[in-house]
Amino acid sequence: MFDSLFADGRRPVIGMVHLPALPGAPRFDGDRAGILEAAERDARRLAAGGVDAVMVENFGDAPFYPDDVPKHVVASMTRATRAVVETVDVPVGVNVLRNDAEADLSVAAAAGADFVRVNVHTGARVTDQGVIEGKAHETMRLRERLDADVAVLADHDVKHSAPIAARGFTAESVADGVERGLADAVVVSGTGTGHETDRSDLEHAVERRDANDLDTPVLVGSGVTADSVSDLLDLADGVIVGTALKDDGDVGNPVSESRVRDLVDAARGHE
C-alpha cells in the first residue's frame, strides 16, 4: 500500500500524529484514554485536511530509549496505532523513538499499519541517547519472519545526531541504506524537529540516488511548511510534516485542520 502513495507521479504528504507521553514516561499525566483521544483527533484532522498518509510516533516519551523500548511502550504504541488505523482511511506508519526498528515492525504488523520509519537503519550515529548502530540485518529478516507487508523508510543523516565518521553525502552512504539495507525509501531532514532541511543536502541525496540508478523515493523529513513545500517537491518525492500542521505552528499543540489544508493545497498546486 505504501507504493500506491507514489502512483501516477503523486508526491505524498505524510502527516505526523505526535502522541503525548505514554505510561511509564516521565511526562505521562495518568490519562490513558486521553492518549487515544488525542491520536484519533489529530488523525481525523490530518485526513480531513487531505494528507495522503499519517505516521504515529511516541513523541512525548523523552528522554527516549536508544534502541530497545520496554514491552509496555510496544503495547501502548500498538493500541494507539490500531486506533488510528481504525479512524482514518489512509495508509498509516509507525516510528518508535528513538530507534527501535523491531518494535516498529512488530507494532505495524499487529496494528495493520503500512510503513515504518527507522532513524538509523545502516551505519552508526552519535545521538543524545549515545551511539546508535543500525540493525538492517535484523530488521529486514524480522520483516520476512513476520510476513509483514510493511515498507521501511530509512533516515539518511538523521536529525538530532551526528556521524561517527566524516563520510557526508557520498554515493555509498546514500546507496547503502537501499542496496545493502534494502530500505524502501530514504528520508532527509534538518538538524532537529521542525528545522528546515538544507536544500543542498536534499539535492545531493537525490543526485546520489540517481547516480546509483536506484528507483527509491526520497522524502523530506523535517521543516516543511506551506511556503516551502512546493519548492521542496521540485526535488523530493514526498514530505513528512509535523510541526507546521499544529495550531500556531507549535509542535506541542493539536493538529490544525486549516493548516493541514493550506499545506496540502500548496503541495497539490505543485502537481
Side-chain angles (χ1 to χ4, degrees), residues 229-251:
V229 66
S230 181
D231 182 55
L232 290 169
L233 289 176
D234 282 337
L235 284 169
D237 300 295
V239 294
I240 301 170
V241 195
T243 303
L245 304 183
K246 304 296 187 71
D247 285 331
D248 300 322
D250 185 331
V251 69

Side-chain angles (χ1 to χ4, degrees), residues 87-109:
T87 297
V88 298
D89 190 24
V90 297
V92 175
V94 179
N95 188 17
V96 180
L97 299 171
R98 170 66 156 134
N99 198 62
D100 195 335
E102 180 178 359
D104 279 335
L105 281 174
S106 300
V107 170

Side-chain angles (χ1 to χ4, degrees), residues 30-209:
D31 185 5
R32 285 175 167 81
I35 294 170
L36 300 182
E37 291 168 1
E40 292 166 355
R41 175 203 65 212
D42 283 356
R44 279 195 299 270
R45 292 179 181 180
L46 289 167
V51 301
D52 302 284
V54 302
M55 181 154 48
V56 183
E57 181 179 85
N58 57 327
F59 184 79
D61 274 0
F64 303 111
Y65 292 93
D67 56 11
D68 186 15
V69 302
K71 294 179 178 63
H72 61 78
V73 175
V74 178
S76 294
M77 283 294 293
T78 302
R79 187 178 185 195
T81 302
R82 184 60 194 173
V84 169
V85 168
E86 293 177 343
T87 297
V88 298
D89 190 24
V90 297
V92 175
V94 179
N95 188 17
V96 180
L97 299 171
R98 170 66 156 134
N99 198 62
D100 195 335
E102 180 178 359
D104 279 335
L105 281 174
S106 300
V107 170
D114 304 284
F115 61 95
V116 299
R117 180 177 181 177
V118 181
N119 292 165
V120 184
H121 185 56
T122 57
R125 306 284 296 184
V126 179
T127 75
D128 52 310
Q129 295 81 32
V131 176
I132 294 180
E133 297 183 20
K135 298 180 181 179
H137 60 292
E138 295 181 1
T139 301
M140 306 316 285
R141 284 174 171 80
L142 176 61
R143 184 169 72 171
E144 291 301 310
R145 292 200 304 274
L146 294 177
D147 192 25
D149 185 15
V150 176
V152 173
L153 284 56
D155 274 272
H156 174 72
D157 205 34
V158 68
K159 57 190 175 183
H160 299 292
S161 76
I164 292 177
R167 294 180 70 191
F169 276 86
T170 66
E172 293 79 11
S173 62
V174 172
D176 278 352
V178 178
E179 291 186 319
R180 294 165 66 85
L182 305 184
D184 301 287
V186 174
V187 181
V188 180
S189 61
T191 57
T193 300
H195 293 194
E196 182 178 355
T197 298
D198 189 292
R199 186 176 177 86
S200 65
D201 287 346
L202 178 60
E203 289 174 345
H204 209 158
V206 171
E207 175 188 318
R208 293 301 89 203
R209 185 267 312 271

